[in-house]
């Protein structure tokens, strides 16, 4: 198989290789027909990307030989694990198309489940899981509200912990990200509904981003549904998802001005903590120092920010080599060591795949070993700790699958 050079980050590809989930209106083969051999062949050939002077000086590898992280026998175990996870996930789907979780986390959890299937090459209306993926997409579309946001539950002030007013932008951004990924995979009435929904969603998305913030350092980011202007705020956790929605939409050829990305990425850079004495748990804060004294530095924030900056073309920011060193100078944590293990592991795996090279080869085997050890005999991953526990095993299983599948390269949002 010929592996062509990829376009610059942020540009939608205009030629679809076999096995790539395609957002354009063409007929790409689902990965269900492309097995482990594809990964191994890609690893032997190497996938080259255009290099620049900045790339040469950065820690981000200029080629994506992701298969080198594991021997063939271990990739076979990963592949089997993913397939068992998806089989279990499919068995959990409700009649209305959702993948069960707390209602306050919908449609985000259903959207993560859809992306888990896509990451293994399963497509809407095609193959063994096609009808289930399509029903899940329809459920997500049904949750869009009059103002354009996605939320199963109505969103009312004031903001409260794990209330719709707090989770709405998570739900909205993750649903928008998923719809950007599936846009163009089908045709007809559903495709038209997705297009209309994304247009409305992007209007709301920009409205939230451009709200007047109480702190100048929060400009350009996203946070909760309330408060609105002039007392709005931003944080790294929400902004990471929000920027990935924008990238997915722009890749799907929706009109997303560069200004929106620049403002969001500027906020992410402000969340970098340059003081090494604060780097025990990571290097990125929950909010900028000028917005909040308590740093709340976590693995999830660090991995999310690293991924977001690289996807946004800012791999030469001063934080990136610091982040890579931070990851490489410690063992990847076990589930009991991290309250948001599944979320952090999803972000970490995707971020390290973007870094590539020796960093990926060091970190991914640890991630894979940890996840495979946790998987139950039924194929699911157990409940997470702390707040993750509330979202159920559909949430943990979806994120585990997404963390195990970067080497397949089938989600357009994460294609280098």
């Amino acid at each position: 198989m010929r592996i062509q050079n990829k376009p610059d980050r942020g540009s939608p590809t205009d030629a679809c290789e076999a096995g790539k989930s395609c957002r354009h209106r063409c007929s790409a083969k689902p990965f269900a027909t492309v097995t482990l051999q594809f990964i191994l062949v890609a690893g032997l050939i190497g996938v080259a990307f255009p290099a620049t002077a900045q790339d040469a000086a950065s820690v981000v590898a200029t080629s994506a030989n992701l298969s080198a992280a594991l021997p063939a026998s271990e990739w076979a175990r990963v592949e089997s694990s993913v397939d068992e996870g998806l089989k279990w996930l499919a068995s959990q789907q409700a009649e209305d198309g959702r993948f069960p979780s707390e209602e306050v986390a919908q449609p985000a959890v259903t959207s993560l489940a859809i992306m888990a299937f896509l990451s293994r090459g399963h497509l809407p209306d095609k193959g063994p899981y096609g009808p289930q993926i399509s029903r899940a997409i329809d459920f997500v579309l049904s949750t869009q509200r009059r103002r354009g946001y996605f939320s199963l539950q109505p969103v009312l002030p004031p903001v409260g912990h794990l209330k719709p007013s707090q989770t709405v932008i998570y739900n909205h951004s993750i649903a928008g990200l998923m719809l950007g990924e599936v846009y163009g995979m089908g045709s007809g009435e559903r495709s038209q509904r997705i297009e209309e929904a994304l247009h409305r969603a992007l209007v709301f998305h920009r409205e939230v981003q451009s709200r007047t913030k109480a702190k100048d350092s929060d400009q350009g980011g996203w946070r909760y549904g309330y408060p609105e202007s002039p007392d709005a705020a931003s944080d790294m956790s929400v902004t990471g998802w929000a920027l990935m929605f924008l990238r997915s939409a722009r890749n799907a050829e929706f009109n997303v001005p560069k200004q929106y990305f620049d403002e969001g990425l500027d906020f992410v850079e402000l969340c970098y903590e340059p003081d090494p004495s604060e780097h025990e748990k990571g290097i990125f804060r929950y909010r900028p120092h000028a917005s909040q004294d308590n740093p709340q530095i976590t693995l999830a924030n660090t991995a999310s920010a690293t991924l977001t900056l690289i996807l946004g073309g800012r791999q030469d920011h001063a934080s990136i080599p610091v982040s890579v060193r931070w990851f490489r100078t410690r063992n990847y944590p076990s589930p009991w060591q991290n309250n948001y293990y599944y979320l952090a592991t999803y972000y970490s795996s995707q971020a390290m795949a973007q870094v590539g090279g020796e960093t990926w080869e060091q970190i991914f085997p640890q991630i894979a070993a940890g996840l495979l050890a946790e998987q139950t005999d039924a194929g699911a991953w157990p409940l997470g700790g702390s707040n993750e526990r509330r979202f159920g095993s559909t949430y943990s299983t979806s994120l585990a699958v997404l963390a195990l599948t970067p080497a397949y390269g089938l989600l357009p949002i994460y294609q280098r």
Side-chain angles (χ1 to χ4, degrees):
M1 175 180 288
R2 178 178 63 86
I3 308 297
Q4 72 175 48
N5 287 349
K6 298 292 189 279
D8 292 337
R9 289 189 176 91
S11 302
T13 179
D14 54 12
C16 301
E17 293 293 306
K20 296 286 184 181
S21 300
C22 176
R23 61 169 38 86
H24 304 288
R25 301 187 186 280
C26 63
S27 55
K29 296 179 182 178
F31 184 73
T33 65
V34 183
T35 60
L36 183 63
Q37 281 77 10
F38 171 81
I39 300 175
L40 296 177
V41 170
L44 290 172
I45 296 174
V47 184
F49 301 97
T52 66
Q54 287 183 328
D55 283 333
S58 86
V59 296
V60 178
T62 55
S63 64
N65 182 9
L66 299 185
S67 68
L70 295 173
S73 60
E74 289 302 303
W75 277 121
R77 289 186 64 213
V78 169
E79 189 171 78
S80 177
S81 173
V82 167
D83 289 343
E84 288 300 308
L86 293 177
K87 182 179 178 181
W88 178 86
L89 201 58
S91 73
Q92 303 301 301
Q93 189 174 31
E95 289 187 7
D96 65 359
R98 77 178 74 183
F99 288 90
S101 182
E102 285 203 358
E103 290 196 349
V104 74
Q106 295 286 12
V109 170
T110 295
S111 298
L112 290 172
I114 293 169
M115 289 196 293
F117 285 103
L118 299 180
S119 75
R120 184 68 172 93
H122 299 289
L123 304 178
D125 295 324
K126 297 178 182 178
Y129 299 123
Q132 289 179 284
I133 296 171
S134 296
R135 290 202 309 274
I137 293 170
D138 289 341
F139 168 76
V140 173
L141 289 170
S142 75
T143 67
Q144 190 169 36
R145 299 278 174 161
R146 178 181 56 82
R147 290 181 63 186
Y149 61 78
F150 297 97
S151 177
L152 179 61
Q153 295 184 324
V155 179
L156 300 170
V159 70
H161 182 59
L162 290 181
K163 301 295 184 184
S165 54
Q166 183 193 45
T167 62
V168 58
I169 310 302
Y170 287 108
N171 280 312
H172 175 76
S173 297
I174 296 171
L177 164 61
M178 180 278 293
L179 291 172
E181 298 299 278
V182 301
Y183 178 69
M185 289 184 182
S187 59
E189 184 265 345
R190 182 180 294 111
S191 180
Q192 182 63 36
R193 288 174 62 205
I194 292 173
E195 181 175 354
E196 292 172 358
L198 283 172
H199 279 300
R200 294 175 58 206
L202 286 167
V203 171
F204 173 78
H205 207 57
R206 177 58 179 172
E207 185 269 311
V208 175
Q209 184 185 24
S210 58
R211 287 173 179 172
T212 301
K213 308 297 199 295
K215 302 280 189 179
D216 288 342
S217 51
D218 280 350
Q219 298 297 334
W222 291 259
R223 201 180 189 196
Y224 304 147
Y226 294 95
E228 298 181 334
S229 298
D231 298 315
S234 301
D235 68 51
M236 184 61 241
S237 179
V238 178
T239 297
W241 288 113
L243 282 168
M244 285 193 284
F245 171 27
L246 287 187
R247 176 180 165 86
S248 179
R250 192 172 82 168
N251 285 355
E253 301 180 347
F254 286 80
N255 180 27
V256 182
K258 183 176 181 293
Q259 174 190 351
Y260 299 1
F261 290 97
D262 288 341
E263 291 175 359
L265 292 167
D266 287 347
F267 170 79
V268 173
E269 290 185 354
L270 288 177
C271 292
Y272 170 51
E273 175 53 70
D275 183 358
S277 69
E278 298 282 356
H279 289 179
E280 179 184 355
K281 296 182 179 180
I283 71 161
F284 276 90
R285 306 168 59 97
Y286 179 61
R287 299 179 68 197
H289 192 280
S291 301
Q292 176 177 298
D293 288 337
N294 178 9
Q296 290 185 265
I297 297 172
T298 65
L299 170 60
N301 287 334
T302 298
S304 171
T306 302
L307 174 64
T308 302
L309 289 174
I310 295 175
L311 289 176
R314 298 198 183 185
Q315 61 267 29
D316 294 298
H317 184 256
S319 64
I320 300 302
V322 179
S323 176
V324 170
R325 284 196 300 272
W326 186 88
F327 271 97
R328 297 195 66 178
T329 54
R330 64 204 70 230
N331 293 325
Y332 196 80
S334 300
W336 57 269
Q337 294 175 305
N338 193 292
N339 286 337
Y340 283 92
Y341 173 77
Y342 292 107
L343 178 65
T345 300
Y346 154 75
Y347 273 138
S348 296
S349 184
Q350 297 292 349
M352 295 304 101
Q354 291 298 317
V355 174
E358 293 180 357
T359 301
W360 164 258
E361 293 169 18
Q362 176 185 340
I363 304 302
F364 180 73
Q366 298 179 56
I367 288 175
L371 287 173
L372 266 59
E374 290 296 310
Q375 190 174 23
T376 67
D377 291 341
W381 271 267
L383 301 177
S386 188
N387 290 333
E388 280 194 314
R389 176 172 295 273
R390 299 185 58 170
F391 304 138
S393 284
T394 52
Y395 162 90
S396 54
T397 300
S398 297
L399 287 175
V401 169
L402 287 167
L404 288 170
T405 52
Y408 298 157
L410 297 177
L411 282 174
I413 180 70
Y414 300 121
Q415 290 171 4
R416 290 175 51 126

